[in-house]
Amino acid sequence: MLRVRLDGGRVHAKQGSMVAYRGRVEFAYQGGGVGGFLRRAVTGEGQDLMRATGHGTVWFAESGHHITILTLDRDSLTTNGRSLLALESSLRYKATTTSGGIGAMVAGGLFNTEISGTGGVAVLCVGSPLVLSTDEPVCVDRDAAVAWTSGVRTRVVSTFRLGNLVGRRSGELAQVEFSGRGGFVVVQCGETPAVGSTTEGH
């Protein structure tokens, strides 16, 4: 769990992630507007946040996932929208997309959140995360990428032929390539599929 102490301040967190609180705390929904509604309707990848304000302690969690806190110092970071749990109110955030044109659509939309400024960001991970340098290009399954340095270049790549479509879930058809000197990508040891994705049973 993530424990946040509020002393008259506020914190932004994933909608519905509060599991307990103590003290005088108020919660307010922060929607993404009409554009956000259309994006969710198309991709199923919600990034809506709520705002917690007041005096007290709040605990956040989601489905027993591990939580990793990344600290920004006048820097920027991009997170997979589904992996973002909470961020300090001193940080700025906006929705972005991974480049790749029609390939990005095949890979599932890939709507992300770019966070910048100074403060802490809490992200959800399946197990303990792996941090990989992007000095040399590295390809990551779209459902395993948690966060990455905003300055790195991203593009959707595919290593499967048409004949491999049969019997494979859509998440395996394309990966995201990350590249850029001095950058990194955080990878979880499992996949968190987008809302609406299914895993084929065997």
Side-chain angles (χ1 to χ4, degrees), residues 139-156:
C139 294
V140 181
D141 185 284
R142 71 178 180 100
D143 293 330
V146 172
W148 52 93
T149 310
S150 293
V152 304
R153 295 180 297 278
T154 59
R155 69 185 185 99
V156 176

Side-chain angles (χ1 to χ4, degrees), residues 4 69 77 89 117 128 153 156 194:
V4 177
I69 299 177
L77 183 78
S89 59
S128 299
R153 295 180 297 278
V156 176

Side-chain angles (χ1 to χ4, degrees), residues 61-74:
E62 183 171 295
S63 303
H65 282 69
H66 287 226
I67 298 170
T68 298
I69 299 177
L70 306 172
T71 302
L72 301 182
D73 183 10
R74 292 179 294 180

Side-chain angles (χ1 to χ4, degrees), residues 111-195:
F111 280 89
N112 309 305
T113 302
E114 184 175 299
I115 302 166
S116 59
T118 299
V121 181
V123 294
L124 299 164
C125 296
V126 177
S128 299
L130 172 68
V131 180
L132 297 174
S133 168
T134 59
D135 286 352
E136 295 184 14
V138 57
C139 294
V140 181
D141 185 284
R142 71 178 180 100
D143 293 330
V146 172
W148 52 93
T149 310
S150 293
V152 304
R153 295 180 297 278
T154 59
R155 69 185 185 99
V156 176
V157 297
S158 177
T159 55
F160 287 97
R161 298 178 180 177
L162 186 60
N164 291 339
L165 289 172
V166 179
R168 295 188 181 273
R169 51 185 291 257
S170 60
E172 302 294 341
L173 297 180
Q175 303 82 43
V176 182
E177 181 188 85
F178 299 86
S179 62
R181 298 288 299 177
F184 65 85
V185 57
V186 179
V187 182
Q188 61 185 356
C189 59
E191 298 179 359
T192 303
V195 176

